[in-house]
Amino acid sequence: MDNKLITITEKVLKNKLIDKSEAYFLSDIAGAGVYKLFSYANSIKSYFRGDTIDLCSIVNAKSGACPEDCSYCAQSAHYNTKVDVYPIIPIDKIIARAIEAKKNGARRFCIVTSGRKTDDKEIKTIANYVNQIKDLGLLACATLGILGEEEIRILKESGLDRYHHNLETSEAFFPEICTTHTYAEKVITIKRAKELGLSVCSGGIFGLGEGWEERIEMAFALRDLDVDSVPINFLSPVPGTPLEGKGYLNPLEALKIIAIYRFILPDKEIRICGGRNTALRTLQPFIFISGADSLLIGNYLTTSGRNPEEDRRTMEDLGLRW
């Protein structure tokens, strides 16, 4: 195992891409071997990404009443989750959250809305918000669903830096978690954003019931799409959703996902996002020594996150910058 792991690592460090058989070999590593996997993933991260952690924060700008049936989501109207439901919040609340994010060390700030897509009136409102976020010295990002070319162009012209649109899981497994829109629609949206000159953030959620095959397939799809940032989320089962009975991933399995994604996507941002408190528990500092170079700080969409001060202290203790 050691020799093959070293060989695969050296291949990546020579700017060569690994294939699926090598990725499956990495996924089979178990026991004490996972710590070696983390170490080699960290060496790849250091080589391609250095020791600076990219921090971002989000605001749930429009919540609940979503017509989509994503089985993990607290905001779907198909399920009784008791989530807050409200329209797009006013600019003063957006700016207050953006200022707070910047004080906490965030470089990027993302406006997130629930729903299949954002309508024309909302797009114009959000375009104005984006312009003001940019004026604060933050990189503006948005998560607004499945958008068309003109909608994306309006956002780009307003100063949007990055569009976030997760694949969520592999193409084959996607119908198991959502039936109201398709994986293909997601891919089209990602390609549109890239073609119009936006940076793209796309990843998924782990712990939905998928196996290593689905995890690896999604990683290779993201590599083919050449996205810039890959958010890794871990399922936090929400009461009232079809996945409420799912348990949490084991912390070492969660870290193993991060490490293998670093091998497959060596030069991309690997961004750890929702669910890390419950999936990683006391092992959260290990994300920085198993391949991650980016972090979502503060609260998530419908759940509380880790105190940003704790994250900053962890990074400082590890000798990292942000």
Side-chain angles (χ1 to χ4, degrees), residues 231-246:
I232 290 179
N233 299 272
F234 304 108
L235 178 69
S236 292
V238 177
T241 65
L243 296 183
E244 66 177 336
K246 286 283 183 186

Side-chain angles (χ1 to χ4, degrees), residues 104-150:
N104 285 329
R107 192 166 74 99
R108 302 178 181 276
F109 187 72
C110 188
I111 298 172
V112 185
T113 59
S114 65
R116 176 185 176 84
K117 63 172 292 182
T118 309
D119 65 32
D120 291 344
K121 182 179 178 181
E122 291 169 335
I123 285 288
K124 292 176 182 177
T125 298
I126 291 168
N128 175 53
Y129 290 2
V130 163
N131 192 268
Q132 295 193 51
I133 289 167
K134 183 182 175 184
D135 287 345
L136 293 174
L138 289 163
L139 294 171
C141 308
T143 307
L144 311 174
I146 298 169
L147 298 186
E149 183 176 323
E150 183 58 27

